[in-house]
């Protein structure tokens, strides 16, 4: 059975096309591409199969496929659409009506010339070397070359006619060394969970912990990754690495630290779609919400880029008779931060960029429910040039109240925020549209999983005039998996969180509350495929 690629979001069209094309080759089918004139849509089909499909008619006719036909004869169809600044892949039909390729040598694109081979052909053609001699020369450097004289003649004709340009040249060809394997066991490896490592002393190290926590996609309950419960020895190693890195890092010129922050800022922009997709899969946020998560944290990185002026001290000459007053800013040493699950990117970026830009070293403890974003950010920080040991990442250690008590007992500087309740007071003369928009956004934004979520609204003069319109606006929210295009509301992070929400709603009803809109049993549809190639949904 040949499986379709998983739906997803991509930075640009070429990334989307490359992903579908490579996945198709691994499954043994040939992906063809049709782009729209306005560059906002791309259709990817399969150029194999025995059924002729006229896209203008519903009927299908069984007939032998013509040799070298460019018609798409297979029902497989994937569509890429541009939504704002990202490309979203949707699988319209994931089925095939033909057998897979036996090996990659049968793939029609396996006969393509690479860009380097094309350059060599141009030079040899201009030097007057005959086609067969050109092919023999190419096969000396690539004995597995499958291109024939006909392919070479076609390429030479384009060069002579002036129709050839390197910009329009397509050099992709499948990796023939990778065998085609469409068994369910082999296909399932695409979904294997990733073991999340620790970052200690500049190296990503697999934890020796026996216990791990499964990170589940809240929409599909698919295991996205496995986070270790870091051992005490590994945590000590992270602290030791941060201590050893501190003396040299605090003496690093502030301008050098500033340059690293500029590079870090650039890399986050480069990988913002990857970060967004990871957050949506692990935490359940909508794609727009996940992107805002990254962008809000990026603002703090921009702030850290100005650290050269922010670390300037003050000097007051002759503040008193014979006394000059001055102050300097110095790094504290080894700092640590603990991330919650609701904003995995923004909270990480609120903490370690400022700390390391000021000359401190840092230990970041991720949330065991959404560790991927922090790990991706740490990897980008290392790529930006952060020295080994300046930033360390651990997972799953006991935190919260225990950490607060230990730090307070030893007089350590600590900022500790857990949980919040927010109330809104609506006066009778409030603007109806603005108020209702604000209530819906504050109550349902980020699925209510934010410290600024609105849990209580007090209507001065009574709520009855507001209820009907508030319910209508809430009903218009599109509830779906966060990775789906157009979703306004995704799932809460865990089943336990949903069960708690349902218990609170039921408790309110049992204590006399009027339930005017019940969303506890809503069912969403998501176009994904299980290991048997069947569509699966989430509830």
């Amino acid at each position: 059975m040949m499986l379709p690629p998983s739906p997803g979001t991509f930075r640009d069209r070429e990334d989307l096309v490359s992903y579908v094309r490579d996945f198709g080759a691994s499954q043994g089918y040939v992906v063809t591409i049709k782009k729209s004139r306005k560059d906002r849509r791309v259709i990817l089909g399969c150029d194999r199969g025995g059924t002729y499909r006229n896209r203008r008619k519903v009927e299908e006719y069984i007939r032998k496929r013509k040799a070298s036909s460019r018609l798409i004869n297979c029902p497989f169809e994937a569509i890429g659409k541009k939504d704002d600044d990202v490309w979203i892949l949707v699988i319209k039909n994931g089925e095939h009506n033909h057998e897979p390729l036996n090996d990659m040598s049968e793939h029609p694109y396996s006969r393509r010339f690479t860009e380097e081979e094309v350059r060599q052909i141009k030079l040899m053609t201009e030097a007057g070397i005959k086609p067969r001699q050109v092919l023999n020369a190419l096969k000396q450097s690539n004995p597995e070359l499958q291109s024939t004289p006909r392919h070479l003649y076609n390429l030479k004709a384009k060069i002579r006619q002036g129709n050839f340009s390197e910009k329009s040249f397509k050099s992709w060809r499948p990796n023939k060394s990778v065998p085609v394997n469409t068994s369910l066991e082999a296909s399932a490896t695409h979904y294997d969970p990733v073991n999340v490592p620790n970052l200690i002393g500049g190296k990503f190290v697999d934890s020796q912990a026996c216990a791990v926590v499964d990170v589940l996609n809240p929409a599909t309950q698919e295991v996205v990754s496995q986070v270790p419960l870091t051992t005490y020895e590994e945590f000590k190693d992270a602290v030791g690495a941060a201590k050893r890195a501190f003396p040299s890092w605090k003496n690093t010129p502030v301008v050098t630290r500033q340059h690293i922050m500029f590079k870090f800022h650039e890399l986050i922009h480069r990988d913002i779609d990857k970060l967004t997709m990871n957050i949506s899969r692990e935490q359940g946020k909508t794609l727009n919400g996940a992107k805002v998560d990254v962008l809000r944290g990026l603002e703090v990185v921009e702030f850290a880029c100005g650290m050269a002026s922010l670390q300037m001290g003050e000097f007051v000459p002759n503040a008193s008779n014979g006394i000059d007053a001055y102050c300097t800013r110095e790094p504290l040493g080894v700092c640590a931060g603990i991330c919650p699950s609701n904003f995995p990117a923004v909270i990480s970026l609120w903490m370690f960029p400022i700390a390391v830009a000021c000359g401190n070293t840092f230990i970041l403890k991720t949330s065991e429910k959404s560790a991927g974003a922090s790990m991706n950010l740490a990897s980008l920080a290392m790529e930006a040039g952060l020295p080994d040991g300046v930033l360390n990442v651990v997972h799953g250690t006991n935190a919260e109240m225990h950490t607060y008590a230990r730090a307070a007992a030893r007089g350590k500087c600590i900022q500790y925020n857990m949980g919040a309740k927010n109330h809104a007071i609506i006066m009778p003369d409030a603007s109806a549209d603005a108020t209702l928009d604000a209530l819906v956004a504050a109550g349902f934004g980020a699925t209510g999983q934010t410290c600024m979520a609105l849990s209580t609204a007090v209507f001065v003069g009574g709520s009855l005039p507001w209820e009907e319109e508030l319910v209508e606006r809430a009903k218009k929210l599109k509830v779906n998996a966060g990775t789906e295009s157009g979703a306004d509301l995704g799932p809460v992070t865990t089943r336990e969180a949903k069960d708690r929400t349902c218990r609170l709603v039921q408790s309110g009803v049992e204590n006399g509350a009027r339930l005017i809109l019940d969303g506890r049993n809503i069912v969403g549809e998501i176009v994904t495929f299980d290991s048997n190639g069947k569509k699966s949904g989430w509830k």
Side-chain angles (χ1 to χ4, degrees):
M1 179 184 295
M2 292 175 288
L3 299 181
S6 302
T9 304
F10 301 85
R11 185 189 319 163
D12 53 40
R13 183 173 61 189
E14 295 307 317
D15 286 348
L16 180 147
V17 170
S18 176
Y19 166 71
V20 178
R21 184 179 56 199
D22 292 341
F23 186 89
S26 71
Q27 292 289 298
Y29 54 88
V30 182
V31 174
T32 58
I33 306 161
K34 181 181 179 182
K35 301 175 182 178
S36 67
R37 293 181 179 178
K38 294 184 179 180
D39 292 337
R40 297 194 66 86
R41 184 181 174 95
V42 57
I43 299 175
L44 301 107
C46 177
D47 192 20
R48 287 178 65 80
T51 304
Y52 171 72
R53 297 180 68 237
N54 187 333
R55 294 190 178 276
R56 295 185 179 180
K57 297 180 181 179
V58 179
E59 296 85 9
E60 294 186 350
Y61 301 93
I62 306 297
R63 75 179 191 184
K64 188 175 180 181
R65 182 172 180 267
K66 293 181 179 179
S68 304
S69 171
R70 293 183 178 272
L71 295 173
I72 297 175
N73 296 329
C74 176
F76 171 83
E77 188 172 15
I79 298 176
K81 297 179 181 178
K82 189 173 184 181
D83 185 3
D84 294 332
D85 295 329
V86 299
W87 281 80
I88 299 172
L89 174 67
V90 178
I91 308 303
K92 191 172 182 181
N93 190 332
E95 299 177 355
H96 297 267
N97 60 5
H98 56 87
E99 295 296 324
L101 297 167
N102 293 325
D103 58 68
M104 282 298 97
S105 62
E106 298 179 9
H107 200 290
Y109 293 166
S110 65
R111 299 178 182 272
R112 281 181 167 178
F113 295 109
T114 64
E115 292 182 51
E116 181 58 32
E117 289 168 346
V118 170
R119 294 189 186 97
Q120 293 179 21
I121 291 170
K122 277 187 80 173
L123 292 174
M124 287 187 282
T125 300
E126 292 170 355
I129 300 176
K130 295 181 179 180
R132 291 192 180 276
Q133 293 175 325
V134 171
L135 279 178
N136 290 334
L138 294 175
K139 286 182 179 180
Q140 288 181 359
S141 58
N142 181 15
E144 297 182 355
L145 183 69
Q146 292 183 306
S147 302
T148 64
R150 181 172 63 85
H151 294 94
L152 186 58
Y153 289 134
N154 291 339
L155 180 60
K156 287 181 63 176
K158 290 181 179 179
I159 295 174
R160 284 197 305 268
Q161 295 170 6
N163 297 331
F164 170 79
S165 65
E166 292 186 5
K167 184 178 180 181
S168 61
F169 178 70
K170 306 295 183 183
S171 63
W172 181 86
R173 62 185 179 192
N175 186 354
K176 292 180 289 185
S177 64
V178 179
V180 176
N181 195 338
T182 60
S183 65
L184 294 180
E185 291 79 8
S187 300
T189 60
H190 180 68
Y191 304 100
D192 276 352
V194 176
N195 293 320
V196 179
N198 292 316
L199 174 60
I200 300 176
K203 297 180 180 179
F204 291 97
V205 183
D206 289 332
S207 175
Q208 300 302 310
C210 298
V212 296
V213 177
D214 288 341
V215 179
L216 303 179
N217 183 327
T220 64
Q221 297 303 298
E222 166 200 1
V223 178
V224 178
S225 60
Q226 292 181 324
V227 175
L229 301 181
T230 302
T231 65
Y232 178 68
E233 289 74 19
E234 291 167 343
F235 181 72
K236 286 179 61 178
D237 289 343
V239 175
K243 285 183 177 180
R244 290 190 296 272
F246 176 64
S248 62
W249 181 242
K250 75 172 183 178
N251 291 319
T252 300
V254 64
V255 176
T256 302
R257 302 198 296 260
Q258 189 179 25
H259 286 167
I260 294 175
M261 287 297 107
F262 276 118
K263 181 64 176 177
F264 184 43
H265 182 273
E266 176 188 337
L267 294 175
I268 293 175
H269 267 295
R270 184 196 69 187
D271 288 359
I272 191 168
D273 295 329
K274 178 181 176 181
L275 290 162
T276 296
M277 178 56 67
N278 178 271
I279 294 170
S280 186
R281 290 184 66 205
E282 287 190 346
Q283 202 271 341
K285 287 179 185 286
T286 63
L287 291 174
N288 287 336
K291 191 170 185 178
V292 169
D293 189 347
V294 180
L295 291 175
R296 289 292 177 266
L298 200 58
E299 293 173 353
V300 181
V301 180
E302 292 171 355
F303 179 77
C305 289
M307 195 54 65
S309 59
L310 295 172
Q311 286 212 293
M312 293 172 63
E314 298 173 350
F315 177 73
V316 181
N318 202 29
S320 185
N321 290 329
I323 298 175
D324 296 337
Y326 66 91
C327 77
T328 60
R329 292 183 170 88
E330 297 181 355
L332 294 172
V334 178
C335 302
I338 301 171
C339 297
S341 62
N342 57 348
F343 286 94
V346 70
I347 303 297
S348 297
L349 294 175
W350 277 358
M351 295 188 292
F352 79 80
I354 294 291
V356 300
C358 288
N360 303 286
T361 55
F362 202 86
I363 299 171
L364 184 70
K365 188 270 177 185
T366 68
S367 167
E368 57 273 15
K369 296 184 179 68
S370 53
S374 297
M375 290 304 297
N376 286 330
L377 290 169
S379 178
L380 295 180
M382 299 297 294
E383 185 180 346
L386 212 58
D388 295 349
V390 173
L391 175 63
N392 304 271
V393 184
V394 294
H395 313 282
T397 59
N398 292 328
E400 296 149 353
M401 293 298 294
H402 175 73
T403 305
Y404 177 75
R406 292 286 298 274
R410 286 165 171 75
K412 302 291 185 182
C413 299
I414 185 168
Q415 181 179 352
Y416 176 85
N417 301 314
M418 285 191 67
K421 289 290 183 182
N422 297 287
H423 296 68
I425 299 176
I426 297 92
M427 303 301 292
D429 60 346
S431 169
D433 287 337
T435 300
L436 291 167
D437 288 341
L439 289 174
V440 171
F444 300 109
T447 326
Q449 300 176 124
T450 168
C451 59
M452 295 301 292
L454 189 65
S455 57
T456 305
V458 178
F459 294 85
V460 177
S463 63
L464 287 177
W466 302 82
E467 289 179 5
E468 183 177 353
E469 183 60 29
L470 183 60
V471 168
E472 288 303 314
R473 297 198 182 203
K475 284 182 177 180
K476 291 178 180 178
L477 295 174
K478 184 178 179 181
V479 182
N480 209 334
T483 53
E484 294 297 292
S485 175
D488 298 312
L489 194 65
V492 290
T493 307
T494 63
R495 287 184 179 273
E496 292 76 16
K498 181 191 174 184
D499 292 341
R500 180 175 180 272
T501 302
C502 293
R503 287 197 303 271
L504 290 172
V505 172
Q506 185 60 35
S507 174
V509 173
E510 292 172 357
N511 284 278
R514 288 185 299 112
L515 184 60
I516 58 176
L517 181 62
D518 191 353
R520 288 175 289 179
N521 296 315
I522 193 167
V523 177
E525 286 292 333
I526 176 175
V527 185
T528 59
F529 296 84
D530 59 20
S531 59
N532 295 318
K534 296 181 180 179
K535 288 183 180 180
S536 61
W538 64 277
K539 183 175 181 180

